[in-house]
Amino acid sequence: MDFGELMSIFIGVILVNNFVLSRFLGLCPYIGVSRDTSSAAGMGMAVIFVMTMASAATWFVYNYMLLPNENNVLYLLFRKMIPGITPESFDLSYLETIAFILVIAGLVQLVEMFIAKFSPALYRALGIYLPLITTNCAVLGVAQLNIAFSGQPFSLLKCVVQGAGAGVGFMIAMLLLSGIRERLELADVPPSLKGVPIAFICAGLMSLAFFGFMGLKI
Amino acid sequence: MRALREFTKGIIERNPIFVLMLGLCPALAVSTSVTDAVGMGLATTFVLVCSNVSISIIRKIIPYRVRIPCYIVVIASFVTIVKLALNAYLPDLYKSLGIFVPLIVVNCIILGRAEAFASRNGVGLSFMDGLGMGVGFGLGLVLMGFIREVIGAGELCHLRVLWKGYEPMLVMTQPPGAFLVLGFLLGLFNLLHRNLKKSKD
Protein backbone atom coordinates (compact mmCIF):
# COMPACT_ATOMS: atom_id res chain seq x y z
CA MET A 1 0.00 0.00 0.00
CA ASP A 2 1.32 3.39 -0.99
CA PHE A 3 1.77 5.39 2.19
CA GLY A 4 2.14 8.69 0.33
CA GLU A 5 -1.24 8.26 -1.33
CA LEU A 6 -2.93 7.58 1.99
CA MET A 7 -1.25 10.66 3.46
CA SER A 8 -2.46 12.82 0.59
CA ILE A 9 -6.04 11.55 1.04
CA PHE A 10 -5.83 12.28 4.77
CA ILE A 11 -4.38 15.80 4.49
CA GLY A 12 -6.53 16.59 1.47
CA VAL A 13 -9.79 15.79 3.20
CA ILE A 14 -8.77 17.83 6.27
CA LEU A 15 -7.46 20.99 4.61
CA VAL A 16 -8.28 21.15 0.90
CA ASN A 17 -11.72 19.57 0.78
CA ASN A 18 -12.73 20.19 4.36
CA PHE A 19 -16.13 18.57 4.83
CA VAL A 20 -17.73 21.55 6.51
CA LEU A 21 -16.03 24.49 4.86
CA SER A 22 -15.86 23.39 1.26
CA ARG A 23 -18.34 20.52 0.91
CA PHE A 24 -21.08 21.84 3.22
CA LEU A 25 -21.64 18.56 5.03
CA GLY A 26 -22.67 18.43 8.67
CA LEU A 27 -23.65 22.08 9.03
CA CYS A 28 -26.43 21.52 11.56
CA PRO A 29 -24.12 20.28 14.36
CA TYR A 30 -21.42 22.68 13.15
CA ILE A 31 -23.63 25.69 13.93
CA GLY A 32 -25.72 24.03 16.65
CA VAL A 33 -23.02 22.65 18.96
CA SER A 34 -20.23 25.19 18.47
CA ARG A 35 -21.30 27.64 21.15
CA ASP A 36 -18.52 26.60 23.53
CA THR A 37 -15.22 24.82 23.06
CA SER A 38 -15.82 21.84 25.35
CA SER A 39 -19.01 20.68 23.67
CA ALA A 40 -17.40 21.29 20.27
CA ALA A 41 -14.55 18.99 21.29
CA GLY A 42 -16.98 16.31 22.52
CA MET A 43 -19.01 16.40 19.32
CA GLY A 44 -15.82 16.37 17.24
CA MET A 45 -14.51 13.25 19.01
CA ALA A 46 -17.85 11.48 18.55
CA VAL A 47 -17.89 12.34 14.84
CA ILE A 48 -14.32 11.12 14.23
CA PHE A 49 -15.19 7.85 15.96
CA VAL A 50 -18.46 7.23 14.10
CA MET A 51 -17.13 8.34 10.70
CA THR A 52 -14.18 5.96 10.85
CA MET A 53 -16.39 3.05 11.91
CA ALA A 54 -19.07 3.93 9.36
CA SER A 55 -16.55 4.08 6.50
CA ALA A 56 -15.41 0.56 7.29
CA ALA A 57 -18.92 -0.82 7.85
CA THR A 58 -20.39 0.66 4.68
CA TRP A 59 -17.39 -0.59 2.70
CA PHE A 60 -18.14 -4.16 3.76
CA VAL A 61 -21.85 -3.81 3.07
CA TYR A 62 -21.28 -2.25 -0.35
CA ASN A 63 -18.64 -4.69 -1.54
CA TYR A 64 -20.03 -7.90 -0.09
CA MET A 65 -23.78 -7.41 -0.20
CA LEU A 66 -24.73 -4.84 -2.83
CA LEU A 67 -22.22 -5.21 -5.66
CA PRO A 68 -22.70 -8.13 -8.04
CA ASN A 69 -19.47 -10.11 -7.76
CA GLU A 70 -18.20 -13.55 -6.85
CA ASN A 71 -17.98 -12.70 -3.16
CA ASN A 72 -21.51 -11.38 -2.79
CA VAL A 73 -22.87 -12.89 0.42
CA LEU A 74 -26.38 -13.34 -0.98
CA TYR A 75 -24.96 -15.06 -4.07
CA LEU A 76 -22.91 -17.46 -1.96
CA LEU A 77 -25.99 -18.15 0.14
CA PHE A 78 -28.42 -18.90 -2.68
CA ARG A 79 -25.95 -20.46 -5.14
CA LYS A 80 -26.68 -23.96 -3.90
CA MET A 81 -30.45 -23.59 -3.70
CA ILE A 82 -31.19 -22.04 -7.10
CA PRO A 83 -29.35 -23.68 -9.98
CA GLY A 84 -28.01 -21.60 -12.85
CA ILE A 85 -27.86 -18.37 -10.86
CA THR A 86 -25.17 -15.78 -11.61
CA PRO A 87 -23.71 -12.99 -9.43
CA GLU A 88 -25.40 -10.47 -11.75
CA SER A 89 -28.79 -11.53 -10.40
CA PHE A 90 -27.82 -9.84 -7.12
CA ASP A 91 -27.02 -6.36 -8.37
CA LEU A 92 -28.45 -4.43 -5.44
CA SER A 93 -26.34 -1.29 -5.81
CA TYR A 94 -29.48 0.82 -6.29
CA LEU A 95 -30.31 0.09 -2.65
CA GLU A 96 -27.15 1.83 -1.43
CA THR A 97 -28.91 4.83 0.14
CA ILE A 98 -31.31 2.70 2.20
CA ALA A 99 -28.58 0.23 3.14
CA PHE A 100 -26.11 2.91 4.21
CA ILE A 101 -28.52 4.89 6.36
CA LEU A 102 -29.65 1.71 8.13
CA VAL A 103 -26.05 0.60 8.70
CA ILE A 104 -25.15 4.01 10.12
CA ALA A 105 -28.22 4.17 12.36
CA GLY A 106 -27.54 0.65 13.65
CA LEU A 107 -23.87 1.39 14.13
CA VAL A 108 -24.55 4.53 16.16
CA GLN A 109 -26.91 2.56 18.43
CA LEU A 110 -24.31 -0.18 18.84
CA VAL A 111 -21.50 2.25 19.60
CA GLU A 112 -23.68 4.00 22.13
CA MET A 113 -24.56 0.78 23.97
CA PHE A 114 -20.95 -0.40 23.82
CA ILE A 115 -19.53 2.81 25.26
CA ALA A 116 -22.22 2.97 27.94
CA LYS A 117 -21.27 -0.52 29.08
CA PHE A 118 -17.47 -0.34 28.93
CA SER A 119 -16.54 3.26 29.55
CA PRO A 120 -19.08 5.28 31.54
CA ALA A 121 -16.67 8.24 31.64
CA LEU A 122 -16.44 8.40 27.86
CA TYR A 123 -20.19 7.88 27.66
CA ARG A 124 -20.81 10.88 29.86
CA ALA A 125 -18.56 12.97 27.59
CA LEU A 126 -19.93 11.79 24.23
CA GLY A 127 -23.32 10.35 25.16
CA ILE A 128 -25.59 13.24 24.30
CA TYR A 129 -23.90 13.80 20.95
CA LEU A 130 -24.11 10.24 19.67
CA PRO A 131 -27.85 10.09 18.80
CA LEU A 132 -27.50 13.38 16.92
CA ILE A 133 -24.93 11.83 14.62
CA THR A 134 -27.40 9.51 12.86
CA THR A 135 -28.88 12.47 11.04
CA ASN A 136 -25.52 14.17 10.54
CA CYS A 137 -25.23 14.31 6.79
CA ALA A 138 -21.44 14.24 6.98
CA VAL A 139 -21.50 10.57 8.00
CA LEU A 140 -23.76 9.47 5.14
CA GLY A 141 -21.80 11.89 2.94
CA VAL A 142 -18.47 10.19 3.62
CA ALA A 143 -20.03 6.80 2.87
CA GLN A 144 -21.38 8.12 -0.43
CA LEU A 145 -18.10 9.85 -1.33
CA ASN A 146 -16.18 6.64 -0.65
CA ILE A 147 -18.10 4.92 -3.42
CA ALA A 148 -18.87 7.85 -5.71
CA PHE A 149 -15.60 9.64 -6.19
CA SER A 150 -13.39 6.71 -7.03
CA GLY A 151 -12.95 5.54 -10.60
CA GLN A 152 -12.22 2.08 -9.33
CA PRO A 153 -13.54 0.87 -5.98
CA PHE A 154 -11.67 2.40 -3.04
CA SER A 155 -9.80 -0.11 -0.92
CA LEU A 156 -10.90 -0.61 2.68
CA LEU A 157 -7.81 1.16 4.03
CA LYS A 158 -8.39 4.23 1.83
CA CYS A 159 -12.03 4.44 2.93
CA VAL A 160 -11.08 4.28 6.59
CA VAL A 161 -8.37 6.93 6.12
CA GLN A 162 -10.80 9.19 4.29
CA GLY A 163 -13.40 8.69 7.04
CA ALA A 164 -10.96 9.45 9.83
CA GLY A 165 -9.56 12.47 7.97
CA ALA A 166 -13.04 13.83 7.35
CA GLY A 167 -13.78 13.50 11.07
CA VAL A 168 -10.55 15.28 12.02
CA GLY A 169 -11.30 18.06 9.53
CA PHE A 170 -14.80 18.43 11.00
CA MET A 171 -13.38 18.66 14.53
CA ILE A 172 -10.77 21.28 13.53
CA ALA A 173 -13.37 23.45 11.80
CA MET A 174 -15.66 23.12 14.80
CA LEU A 175 -13.02 23.95 17.40
CA LEU A 176 -11.93 27.01 15.40
CA LEU A 177 -15.49 28.28 15.10
CA SER A 178 -16.28 27.65 18.78
CA GLY A 179 -13.20 29.68 19.77
CA ILE A 180 -14.39 32.55 17.59
CA ARG A 181 -17.95 32.35 18.91
CA GLU A 182 -16.81 32.44 22.54
CA ARG A 183 -15.10 35.76 21.78
CA LEU A 184 -18.12 37.00 19.82
CA GLU A 185 -20.22 36.80 22.99
CA LEU A 186 -18.35 39.86 24.22
CA ALA A 187 -18.22 41.69 20.90
CA ASP A 188 -20.54 44.48 19.84
CA VAL A 189 -22.50 42.80 17.06
CA PRO A 190 -25.51 44.49 15.39
CA PRO A 191 -28.60 43.08 17.15
CA SER A 192 -30.14 41.41 14.11
CA LEU A 193 -26.88 39.61 13.27
CA LYS A 194 -26.41 38.21 16.82
CA GLY A 195 -26.13 34.44 17.21
CA VAL A 196 -26.42 32.27 14.14
CA PRO A 197 -26.11 34.90 11.35
CA ILE A 198 -22.75 36.18 12.59
CA ALA A 199 -21.59 32.57 13.05
CA PHE A 200 -22.31 31.95 9.36
CA ILE A 201 -20.42 35.08 8.35
CA CYS A 202 -17.43 33.94 10.44
CA ALA A 203 -17.69 30.51 8.82
CA GLY A 204 -17.60 32.23 5.43
CA LEU A 205 -14.41 34.07 6.34
CA MET A 206 -12.90 30.81 7.67
CA SER A 207 -13.83 29.10 4.44
CA LEU A 208 -12.11 31.92 2.57
CA ALA A 209 -9.00 31.35 4.69
CA PHE A 210 -9.11 27.62 3.94
CA PHE A 211 -8.98 28.57 0.25
CA GLY A 212 -5.29 29.17 0.88
CA PHE A 213 -4.79 25.41 1.04
CA MET A 214 -6.31 24.96 -2.41
CA GLY A 215 -3.02 24.56 -4.29
CA LEU A 216 -1.55 22.25 -1.68
CA LYS A 217 0.31 19.35 -3.28
CA ILE A 218 1.62 16.49 -1.22
CA MET B 1 -59.33 26.93 5.77
CA ARG B 2 -56.96 25.12 8.13
CA ALA B 3 -55.40 23.31 5.16
CA LEU B 4 -54.59 26.60 3.49
CA ARG B 5 -52.95 27.84 6.68
CA GLU B 6 -50.82 24.69 6.93
CA PHE B 7 -49.67 25.39 3.39
CA THR B 8 -48.80 29.07 3.79
CA LYS B 9 -47.06 28.82 7.16
CA GLY B 10 -44.10 27.00 5.57
CA ILE B 11 -43.41 29.76 3.11
CA ILE B 12 -42.63 32.81 5.27
CA GLU B 13 -43.74 32.52 8.88
CA ARG B 14 -41.99 29.18 9.48
CA ASN B 15 -39.69 29.06 6.46
CA PRO B 16 -37.49 25.96 6.90
CA ILE B 17 -34.24 27.66 5.91
CA PHE B 18 -34.49 31.18 7.29
CA VAL B 19 -36.66 30.66 10.37
CA LEU B 20 -36.38 27.01 11.45
CA MET B 21 -32.79 26.75 10.12
CA LEU B 22 -33.19 23.17 8.93
CA GLY B 23 -31.71 21.59 5.83
CA LEU B 24 -28.85 24.03 5.65
CA CYS B 25 -26.34 21.71 3.97
CA PRO B 26 -28.20 21.40 0.64
CA ALA B 27 -29.24 25.06 0.93
CA LEU B 28 -25.61 26.13 0.83
CA ALA B 29 -24.29 23.46 -1.50
CA VAL B 30 -26.71 23.54 -4.42
CA SER B 31 -27.54 27.24 -4.53
CA THR B 32 -24.74 28.08 -6.97
CA SER B 33 -27.27 28.60 -9.76
CA VAL B 34 -31.02 29.05 -10.05
CA THR B 35 -31.48 25.92 -12.19
CA ASP B 36 -29.82 23.69 -9.58
CA ALA B 37 -31.84 25.39 -6.85
CA VAL B 38 -35.14 24.73 -8.66
CA GLY B 39 -34.18 21.08 -9.29
CA MET B 40 -33.22 20.49 -5.69
CA GLY B 41 -36.34 22.28 -4.45
CA LEU B 42 -38.61 20.09 -6.59
CA ALA B 43 -36.81 16.87 -5.60
CA THR B 44 -37.04 17.73 -1.89
CA THR B 45 -40.70 18.76 -2.19
CA PHE B 46 -41.55 15.45 -3.85
CA VAL B 47 -39.87 13.43 -1.10
CA LEU B 48 -41.35 15.62 1.63
CA VAL B 49 -44.93 15.34 0.32
CA CYS B 50 -44.71 11.58 -0.33
CA SER B 51 -43.10 10.77 3.00
CA ASN B 52 -45.52 12.99 4.93
CA VAL B 53 -48.52 11.31 3.28
CA SER B 54 -47.22 7.74 3.74
CA ILE B 55 -46.18 8.31 7.33
CA SER B 56 -49.53 9.87 8.10
CA ILE B 57 -51.27 6.80 6.62
CA ILE B 58 -49.24 4.30 8.65
CA ARG B 59 -48.87 6.44 11.78
CA LYS B 60 -51.21 4.25 13.87
CA ILE B 61 -49.42 0.98 13.01
CA ILE B 62 -45.86 2.09 13.78
CA PRO B 63 -44.77 1.15 17.30
CA TYR B 64 -43.64 4.27 19.15
CA ARG B 65 -40.16 3.03 20.07
CA VAL B 66 -39.02 2.18 16.54
CA ARG B 67 -40.71 5.10 14.81
CA ILE B 68 -37.48 6.88 13.77
CA PRO B 69 -36.01 3.89 11.87
CA CYS B 70 -39.41 3.38 10.21
CA TYR B 71 -39.53 7.01 9.09
CA ILE B 72 -35.97 6.79 7.78
CA VAL B 73 -36.76 3.71 5.68
CA VAL B 74 -39.85 5.38 4.19
CA ILE B 75 -37.87 8.53 3.38
CA ALA B 76 -34.92 6.57 1.95
CA SER B 77 -37.26 4.66 -0.39
CA PHE B 78 -38.65 7.87 -1.88
CA VAL B 79 -35.15 9.31 -2.17
CA THR B 80 -34.09 6.23 -4.11
CA ILE B 81 -37.04 6.74 -6.48
CA VAL B 82 -36.04 10.38 -7.03
CA LYS B 83 -32.40 9.39 -7.53
CA LEU B 84 -33.18 6.76 -10.17
CA ALA B 85 -35.67 9.05 -11.95
CA LEU B 86 -33.24 11.98 -12.06
CA ASN B 87 -30.45 9.74 -13.28
CA ALA B 88 -32.66 8.43 -16.07
CA TYR B 89 -34.43 11.57 -17.27
CA LEU B 90 -32.32 14.56 -16.20
CA PRO B 91 -28.71 13.28 -16.12
CA ASP B 92 -27.19 16.80 -16.31
CA LEU B 93 -29.08 17.99 -13.25
CA TYR B 94 -28.27 14.71 -11.48
CA LYS B 95 -24.56 15.25 -12.12
CA SER B 96 -24.51 18.83 -10.91
CA LEU B 97 -26.47 18.01 -7.73
CA GLY B 98 -24.01 15.16 -7.06
CA ILE B 99 -24.10 13.47 -3.66
CA PHE B 100 -26.77 15.88 -2.44
CA VAL B 101 -29.47 13.78 -4.11
CA PRO B 102 -28.90 10.71 -1.87
CA LEU B 103 -28.30 13.10 1.03
CA ILE B 104 -31.94 14.24 0.90
CA VAL B 105 -32.43 11.29 3.27
CA VAL B 106 -30.67 13.11 6.09
CA ASN B 107 -32.24 16.50 5.33
CA CYS B 108 -33.53 17.40 8.78
CA ILE B 109 -36.65 19.11 7.38
CA ILE B 110 -38.08 15.80 6.19
CA LEU B 111 -37.49 13.82 9.37
CA GLY B 112 -38.50 16.88 11.37
CA ARG B 113 -41.88 17.19 9.63
CA ALA B 114 -42.47 13.44 9.90
CA GLU B 115 -41.88 13.56 13.64
CA ALA B 116 -43.52 16.89 14.42
CA PHE B 117 -46.46 16.88 12.01
CA ALA B 118 -47.22 13.78 9.94
CA SER B 119 -47.14 11.42 12.93
CA ARG B 120 -49.92 13.43 14.61
CA ASN B 121 -52.16 14.66 11.79
CA GLY B 122 -54.38 13.28 9.07
CA VAL B 123 -53.42 12.64 5.47
CA GLY B 124 -54.85 15.84 3.98
CA LEU B 125 -53.22 18.18 6.46
CA SER B 126 -49.91 16.32 6.21
CA PHE B 127 -50.01 16.69 2.44
CA MET B 128 -50.54 20.44 2.72
CA ASP B 129 -47.85 20.76 5.37
CA GLY B 130 -45.33 18.85 3.23
CA LEU B 131 -46.19 20.91 0.17
CA GLY B 132 -45.88 24.19 2.05
CA MET B 133 -42.59 23.29 3.69
CA GLY B 134 -41.22 22.00 0.37
CA VAL B 135 -42.23 25.17 -1.47
CA GLY B 136 -40.76 27.31 1.32
CA PHE B 137 -37.50 25.37 1.12
CA GLY B 138 -37.44 25.64 -2.67
CA LEU B 139 -38.10 29.40 -2.59
CA GLY B 140 -35.29 29.84 -0.06
CA LEU B 141 -32.93 27.91 -2.34
CA VAL B 142 -33.99 29.96 -5.37
CA LEU B 143 -33.49 33.23 -3.47
CA MET B 144 -29.95 32.21 -2.50
CA GLY B 145 -29.25 30.83 -5.97
CA PHE B 146 -30.47 34.08 -7.53
CA ILE B 147 -28.22 36.27 -5.39
CA ARG B 148 -25.19 34.02 -5.83
CA GLU B 149 -25.58 33.51 -9.57
CA VAL B 150 -26.27 37.16 -10.42
CA ILE B 151 -23.43 38.58 -8.30
CA GLY B 152 -21.02 35.68 -8.74
CA ALA B 153 -21.36 35.07 -12.46
CA GLY B 154 -23.47 37.96 -13.79
CA GLU B 155 -25.86 35.34 -15.14
CA LEU B 156 -29.34 34.05 -14.49
CA CYS B 157 -30.21 30.48 -15.51
CA HIS B 158 -26.92 30.54 -17.47
CA LEU B 159 -27.99 33.65 -19.47
CA ARG B 160 -26.09 36.93 -19.19
CA VAL B 161 -28.17 39.52 -17.29
CA LEU B 162 -25.73 42.16 -16.03
CA TRP B 163 -24.01 44.76 -18.24
CA LYS B 164 -21.08 43.76 -20.41
CA GLY B 165 -18.14 45.17 -18.45
CA TYR B 166 -19.31 43.60 -15.14
CA GLU B 167 -16.51 41.75 -13.37
CA PRO B 168 -18.15 38.72 -11.68
CA MET B 169 -17.39 38.34 -7.96
CA LEU B 170 -16.23 34.76 -8.31
CA VAL B 171 -16.16 34.20 -4.57
CA MET B 172 -19.97 34.26 -4.48
CA THR B 173 -20.24 31.04 -6.46
CA GLN B 174 -17.55 29.45 -4.27
CA PRO B 175 -18.15 28.03 -0.74
CA PRO B 176 -17.31 31.27 1.19
CA GLY B 177 -19.97 33.17 -0.78
CA ALA B 178 -22.61 30.64 0.28
CA PHE B 179 -21.85 31.15 3.97
CA LEU B 180 -21.78 34.94 3.63
CA VAL B 181 -25.04 35.14 1.66
CA LEU B 182 -26.86 32.89 4.14
CA GLY B 183 -25.47 34.83 7.11
CA PHE B 184 -26.65 38.17 5.76
CA LEU B 185 -30.04 36.76 4.65
CA LEU B 186 -30.62 35.35 8.16
CA GLY B 187 -29.76 38.77 9.56
CA LEU B 188 -32.20 40.39 7.15
CA PHE B 189 -35.00 37.99 8.18
CA ASN B 190 -34.27 38.78 11.85
CA LEU B 191 -34.52 42.48 11.11
CA LEU B 192 -37.86 42.02 9.28
CA HIS B 193 -39.28 39.95 12.15
CA ARG B 194 -38.18 42.58 14.66
CA ASN B 195 -39.81 45.38 12.70
CA LEU B 196 -43.02 43.38 12.22
CA LYS B 197 -43.23 42.77 15.96
CA LYS B 198 -42.65 46.46 16.69
CA SER B 199 -45.38 47.57 14.29
CA LYS B 200 -47.80 45.02 15.83
CA ASP B 201 -47.17 46.39 19.32
Side-chain angles (χ1 to χ4, degrees), chain A residues 171-211:
Chain A
M171 185 171 174
I172 289 177
M174 218 157 147
L175 281 177
L176 289 174
L177 186 69
S178 67
I180 297 175
R181 284 183 77 176
E182 277 182 352
R183 300 254 171 134
L184 276 176
E185 294 286 312
L186 308 171
D188 184 21
V189 179
S192 44
L193 287 180
K194 267 214 171 84
V196 179
I198 195 78
F200 268 109
I201 293 168
C202 289
L205 297 177
M206 268 170 69
S207 163
L208 206 56
F210 267 66
F211 255 26

Side-chain angles (χ1 to χ4, degrees), chain A residues 20-28 30-31 93-98 101-102 105 134-138 140-141 144-145 148-149 191-194 196-198 200-205 207-208 211 214, chain B residues 21-26 28-30 68-69 72-73 76-77 79-80 83-84 94 99-103 105-108 111 148 171 174-180 182-184 186-188 190-191 194:
Chain A
V20 182
L21 297 173
S22 85
R23 284 209 177 115
F24 307 114
L25 293 168
L27 285 174
C28 301
Y30 180 62
I31 296 296
S93 49
Y94 63 92
L95 284 180
E96 66 192 27
T97 311
I98 300 181
I101 191 76
L102 286 179
T134 316
T135 50
N136 181 345
C137 53
L140 186 61
Q144 291 280 353
L145 281 176
F149 270 88
S192 44
L193 287 180
K194 267 214 171 84
V196 179
I198 195 78
F200 268 109
I201 293 168
C202 289
L205 297 177
S207 163
L208 206 56
F211 255 26
M214 207 63 136
Chain B
M21 286 191 252
L22 295 173
L24 294 176
C25 308
L28 293 179
V30 300
I68 301 285
I72 288 181
V73 174
S77 318
V79 171
T80 307
K83 197 179 141 191
L84 294 175
Y94 179 72
I99 62 162
F100 284 92
V101 179
L103 287 184
V105 179
V106 278
N107 190 326
C108 3
L111 195 61
R148 286 180 68 191
V171 74
Q174 302 287 336
F179 283 110
L180 293 177
L182 185 61
F184 283 116
L186 285 174
L188 190 70
N190 273 352
L191 198 68
R194 204 180 290 260

Side-chain angles (χ1 to χ4, degrees), chain B residues 10-196:
Chain B
I11 294 173
I12 293 192
E13 188 194 337
R14 297 182 66 74
N15 186 291
I17 298 181
F18 301 118
V19 181
L20 302 179
M21 286 191 252
L22 295 173
L24 294 176
C25 308
L28 293 179
V30 300
S31 57
T32 43
S33 74
V34 175
T35 16
D36 285 4
V38 171
M40 188 67 187
L42 288 179
T44 310
T45 308
F46 173 79
V47 177
L48 193 51
V49 168
C50 293
S51 70
N52 253 12
V53 168
S54 339
I55 286 166
S56 166
I57 292 171
I58 57 172
R59 70 182 190 278
K60 291 196 177 119
I61 324 170
I62 300 177
Y64 182 75
R65 295 189 56 132
V66 291
R67 66 192 193 285
I68 301 285
C70 294
Y71 299 162
I72 288 181
V73 174
V74 170
I75 296 166
S77 318
F78 287 115
V79 171
T80 307
I81 294 173
V82 166
K83 197 179 141 191
L84 294 175
L86 278 183
N87 200 358
Y89 297 110
L90 297 165
D92 291 337
L93 183 66
Y94 179 72
K95 236 175 248 154
S96 69
L97 295 182
I99 62 162
F100 284 92
V101 179
L103 287 184
I104 298 175
V105 179
V106 278
N107 190 326
C108 3
I109 301 171
I110 300 177
L111 195 61
R113 290 331 281 173
E115 168 80 5
F117 198 90
S119 59
R120 289 176 203 159
N121 288 286
V123 177
L125 287 181
S126 300
F127 175 84
M128 291 313 271
D129 176 75
L131 197 63
M133 284 286 164
V135 170
F137 178 71
L139 286 178
L141 280 184
V142 170
L143 177 63
M144 284 188 65
F146 177 79
I147 296 174
R148 286 180 68 191
E149 198 180 357
V150 168
I151 302 181
E155 295 176 340
L156 191 58
C157 296
H158 306 293
L159 294 172
R160 185 114 207 133
V161 286
L162 291 188
W163 61 94
K164 231 177 174 180
Y166 177 72
E167 286 274 339
M169 270 172 74
L170 274 180
V171 74
M172 290 310 246
T173 55
Q174 302 287 336
F179 283 110
L180 293 177
V181 168
L182 185 61
F184 283 116
L185 279 179
L186 285 174
L188 190 70
F189 261 70
N190 273 352
L191 198 68
L192 288 179
H193 266 260
R194 204 180 290 260
N195 285 348
L196 269 182

Side-chain angles (χ1 to χ4, degrees), chain A residues 22-215:
Chain A
S22 85
R23 284 209 177 115
F24 307 114
L25 293 168
L27 285 174
C28 301
Y30 180 62
I31 296 296
V33 200
S34 62
R35 244 174 250 120
D36 60 283
T37 313
S38 63
S39 52
M43 184 70 182
M45 291 303 289
V47 167
I48 294 178
F49 196 62
V50 172
M51 267 191 173
T52 316
M53 304 265 293
S55 293
T58 52
W59 186 85
F60 278 110
V61 169
Y62 188 67
N63 281 285
Y64 288 101
M65 284 179 81
L66 300 178
L67 278 189
N69 56 29
E70 293 294 318
N71 300 323
N72 190 311
V73 175
L74 297 171
Y75 169 66
L76 294 176
L77 210 65
F78 288 106
R79 178 174 61 170
K80 296 268 166 57
M81 288 180 231
I82 311 163
I85 208 164
T86 57
E88 278 69 41
S89 331
F90 291 103
D91 186 2
L92 297 178
S93 49
Y94 63 92
L95 284 180
E96 66 192 27
T97 311
I98 300 181
F100 285 180
I101 191 76
L102 286 179
V103 167
I104 290 168
L107 187 78
V108 172
Q109 277 292 325
L110 200 74
V111 167
E112 198 185 342
M113 289 192 294
F114 190 81
I115 295 181
K117 186 102 176 111
F118 288 99
S119 170
L122 191 65
Y123 184 71
R124 251 172 278 133
L126 301 186
I128 49 166
Y129 304 112
L130 279 171
L132 293 176
I133 290 178
T134 316
T135 50
N136 181 345
C137 53
V139 181
L140 186 61
V142 80
Q144 291 280 353
L145 281 176
N146 280 340
I147 63 165
F149 270 88
S150 43
Q152 71 254 28
F154 253 24
S155 71
L156 175 61
L157 196 59
K158 279 188 199 167
C159 286
V160 171
V161 166
Q162 172 150 303
V168 173
F170 183 82
M171 185 171 174
I172 289 177
M174 218 157 147
L175 281 177
L176 289 174
L177 186 69
S178 67
I180 297 175
R181 284 183 77 176
E182 277 182 352
R183 300 254 171 134
L184 276 176
E185 294 286 312
L186 308 171
D188 184 21
V189 179
S192 44
L193 287 180
K194 267 214 171 84
V196 179
I198 195 78
F200 268 109
I201 293 168
C202 289
L205 297 177
M206 268 170 69
S207 163
L208 206 56
F210 267 66
F211 255 26
F213 294 115
M214 207 63 136

